[in-house]
Amino acid sequence: MPPVPFFDGHNDALFRLSESRGADPHLLFLNGRADGHIDLPRAREGEMVGGLFALYAPSKSGLDLNIFKGKNYDCPLPPEVPLPDASRIMMRQIAILLRAIAASNGSVSLCRTVADIRDARQRSSFAAVLHMEGAEAIDADLDMLDVLHAVGLRSIGPVWSRNNVFGHGVPMRFPSSPDAGPGLTDAGKRLVRACNDLRIMIDLSHLTERGFWDVARLTNAPLVATHSNVHDLSPSSRNLTRRQLDAIRDSDGIVGLNLATCFLRSDGQMDEDTPIGVVVQHVEALIEHLGETRVAIGSDFDGAVVPKAIGSVAGAQAIFSALRAKGFDEPLIEKIAISNWLRVLRQTIG
């Protein structure tokens, strides 16, 4: 069967590139790099035609990945990132993408609408949409929101798995319910309303369950979790309960399947020796809860340990081959690969 072009709902390539040393980071993206999951040559190999590229500011005390190897774990919430630090880091990441676009001779495009994405595809240009994972670079008065929107920001997760001025992040905890703390602050509620007005998509993936319901009550847009999985199959605090999935379905929203093994496995382990069949199980469960038009890919490439059978974006077609082997037909695979994201993006960013 021919490869399936796909659009990815979440990756951390800009963050990883911003931490690189030596060669210009934007050239590493355009020409290829020896580490990580995503660059343009491997995206072409894996038929990734575009995606949401996250801006992310790390905490000074990073996650200890060894914690994900225990039978039970509860990672303390990292400290908040001050606004000046987050702004500096995220501006660098935006600059990397803009420099890559400028140097790409049309091979990479910054897309602000679904029409832009479709135009990029017609030109065989890689379609990048700016996303923010944790809104620490935005002030409580939301002045920076308008500036970033003008630059091209079209999707925001108000928090990562830590607290900030807008709300409370869900901790990396296993096994655990996502009901793990307070929800949005007053500033967070203002952020949701402002994003609705600007047509910026709200990502629910790292919010506590109470934050999820705060957004559900406030927003006039479909509910979106760009990179989350099914709590019934992997009882991580980061995954979605049946009730949350029902709300996403009822809003005609979407869930992007996260390839992080610790959110796929029933034991919560970060282990690349995870069979790709587990990925298929989550897709099947998401379709059962949400229907065929509300399930997509949100890989978490460059932000997670993914199954060895996939390895990087170059191996992404293994997902669709596994779905075929399970009996998925081509129209359904195409929906999961790209059409479902384009539908929700059209309803949110326009």
Side-chain angles (χ1 to χ4, degrees):
M1 297 297 294
V4 183
F6 80 98
F7 187 92
D8 184 31
H10 182 89
N11 73 74
D12 290 293
L14 293 177
F15 164 61
R16 294 300 174 196
L17 288 165
S18 72
E19 291 201 319
S20 63
R21 298 291 179 265
D24 289 335
H26 69 282
L27 296 180
L28 292 176
F29 177 75
L30 292 176
N31 301 326
R33 54 189 174 122
D35 59 350
H37 292 147
I38 290 182
D39 51 46
L40 189 58
R42 284 183 290 176
R44 300 293 196 206
E45 183 179 351
E47 289 292 326
M48 179 182 174
V49 297
L52 270 66
F53 278 68
L55 307 173
Y56 168 74
S59 297
K60 289 186 178 179
S61 57
L63 279 176
D64 178 5
L65 298 185
N66 289 319
I67 197 171
F68 293 95
K69 297 179 180 178
K71 290 184 178 179
N72 305 294
Y73 49 81
D74 186 357
C75 182
L77 288 175
E80 296 182 38
V81 178
L83 175 64
D85 293 347
S87 297
R88 174 180 52 80
I89 293 166
M90 292 190 190
M91 292 310 107
R92 172 171 165 76
Q93 292 165 13
I94 292 172
I96 289 169
L97 178 59
L98 294 178
R99 289 167 185 158
I101 291 167
S104 73
N105 294 317
S107 295
V108 183
S109 298
L110 179 62
C111 296
R112 295 172 168 85
T113 65
V114 171
D116 289 346
I117 297 171
R118 294 189 187 281
D119 176 68
R121 287 197 67 198
Q122 289 177 352
R123 295 183 288 106
S124 298
S125 182
F126 187 82
V129 178
L130 269 180
H131 167 70
M132 180 175 284
E133 185 175 38
E136 286 87 356
I138 298 173
D139 55 290
D141 292 329
L142 306 183
D143 294 334
M144 185 56 70
L145 180 66
D146 292 285
V147 174
L148 290 169
H149 178 263
V151 172
L153 184 69
R154 290 298 182 269
S155 176
I156 293 178
V159 299
W160 183 67
S161 287
R162 63 185 169 223
N163 301 334
N164 64 23
V165 68
F166 299 112
H168 298 262
V170 69
M172 302 290 187
R173 183 181 294 164
F174 184 93
S176 173
S177 161
D179 186 11
L184 295 179
T185 64
D186 288 342
K189 294 172 184 177
R190 292 195 301 272
L191 176 65
V192 171
R193 296 187 187 100
C195 286
N196 282 173
D197 291 342
L198 290 169
R199 302 203 72 171
I200 295 173
M201 190 170 72
I202 298 290
D203 177 22
L204 301 163
S205 287
H206 281 273
L207 277 167
T208 63
E209 186 171 2
R210 288 182 229 180
F212 177 102
W213 295 117
D214 285 340
V215 173
R217 283 188 292 269
L218 289 164
T219 188
N220 59 22
L223 298 179
V224 174
T226 64
H227 58 305
S228 293
N229 293 337
V230 180
H231 193 270
D232 280 355
L233 296 180
S234 177
S236 166
S237 57
R238 271 279 285 106
N239 286 337
L240 298 162
T241 66
R242 292 187 183 193
R243 186 166 171 247
Q244 289 174 300
L245 291 170
D246 288 346
I248 292 170
R249 178 200 63 211
D250 293 346
S251 76
D252 203 17
I254 201 167
V255 175
L257 177 87
N258 193 328
L259 299 179
T261 62
C262 55
F263 306 138
L264 288 167
R265 297 171 61 101
S266 61
D267 61 4
Q269 297 296 290
M270 190 178 285
D271 184 351
E272 66 177 7
D273 291 320
T274 296
I276 201 165
V278 179
V279 174
V280 176
Q281 288 174 359
H282 278 267
V283 173
E284 289 178 316
L286 286 169
I287 289 174
E288 179 182 350
H289 284 288
L290 301 173
E292 295 184 358
T293 61
R294 304 180 188 94
V295 182
I297 304 297
S299 70
D300 216 357
F301 280 140
D302 278 314
V305 172
V306 304
K308 188 187 296 183
I310 299 169
S312 74
V313 67
Q317 291 299 310
I319 302 167
F320 307 115
S321 296
L323 293 178
R324 284 194 194 98
K326 193 65 175 178
F328 285 52
D329 62 25
E330 294 307 305
L332 176 53
I333 290 173
E334 192 274 342
K335 289 177 185 176
I336 294 167
I338 190 165
S339 292
N340 290 347
W341 264 127
L342 295 183
R343 175 189 67 79
V344 168
L345 289 170
R346 187 168 58 250
Q347 292 174 259
T348 51
I349 71 172

